[in-house]
Amino acid sequence: MSIDLPQLRHTGSALHRKISSISSRKEVSKMTQFDEDAALEAATNMFWQQGIENTDIRDVAEATGIASETLTLRYGDRQQLFAIALRRYVDRHSIPTFSRLSGAEEGLPAIEAHFESLIQRGETGPLVGCGCLITNAHASPEASRDDVNELLQSHHRQLCEAVRNVLAVAMTKGQIRSTLDLDATAEALTLLAYGVNLRSRVGADADTLRRAVATVIGGLKT
């Protein structure tokens, strides 16, 4: 029986390429197998605590023990990772807050409680001096990115809508003046929330913030 050596070499080469391809895919799969939730939680906290500009893929890799190459393969560069972390923050923290506000039946006390929670977050706990991740993102260069800007605009609209819903309940209950423009008032209170977060970030006195909030909300009452 004769052996076709060229054909045998061709077949062997093809088999080697196939094995190499399978091996490569397995290696990539192995690299991308990690606890994504833990990785994104760590990235979110680092962006929040250290600042967006002061955090990169290598920092997250060091904090999580995941290779920076693996994180880059999965999420892309720092800017892309931040956009993903910000989306996760909105989904897990902001949207539940909007839902609670929108469904608040007590009216104005729900808005007062919301501001108090913002002030307390800046007063005690692990995030003292960190402000709010969303507010910080507004003031960062990342805000000019289309994906981040779209997310910030959506967040703002949803917060305004939630506050407006509570104001409507408050007006029905006679807690605030019936002549108020609910849309403009919701916008003003939303901007006040950003201001509280920014001032908390630089260590503003909590009682001073409380008095400022009380003055604004007091001006809405009947």
Side-chain angles (χ1 to χ4, degrees), residues 2 10 17 21 31 57 69 74 79 116 143 162 164 184 198 204 211:
S2 62
H10 175 76
R17 288 195 300 270
S21 176
M31 285 180 64
I57 292 285
E69 294 83 358
R74 179 65 183 87
Q79 288 79 11
E116 179 60 26
R164 190 194 186 286
L198 280 174
R211 289 196 299 272

Side-chain angles (χ1 to χ4, degrees), residues 34-145:
F34 59 91
D35 188 338
E36 290 201 49
D37 192 62
L40 289 174
E41 181 71 14
T44 300
N45 288 334
M46 295 186 78
F47 284 128
W48 198 345
Q49 294 170 354
Q50 297 182 181
I52 300 163
E53 298 87 351
N54 298 322
T55 303
D56 61 26
I57 292 285
R58 286 170 297 184
D59 296 321
V60 179
E62 184 176 344
T64 60
I66 302 169
S68 57
E69 294 83 358
T70 299
L71 292 173
T72 301
L73 183 66
R74 179 65 183 87
Y75 301 117
D77 59 18
R78 176 180 66 85
Q79 288 79 11
Q80 291 170 306
L81 176 59
F82 172 69
I84 293 168
L86 192 64
R87 165 59 68 186
R88 180 179 181 274
Y89 173 87
V90 169
D91 290 343
R92 296 199 173 196
H93 298 281
S94 301
I95 290 179
T97 298
F98 302 155
S99 297
R100 286 194 297 272
L101 271 177
S102 291
E105 298 180 355
E106 64 269 34
L108 201 57
I111 293 178
E112 293 171 327
H114 176 66
F115 276 100
E116 179 60 26
S117 71
L118 298 182
I119 294 170
Q120 287 184 6
R121 185 176 65 191
E123 189 178 22
T124 59
L127 295 172
V128 170
C130 299
C132 164
L133 184 61
I134 290 290
T135 303
N136 296 347
H138 274 84
S140 77
E142 308 305 323
S144 62
R145 285 175 54 95

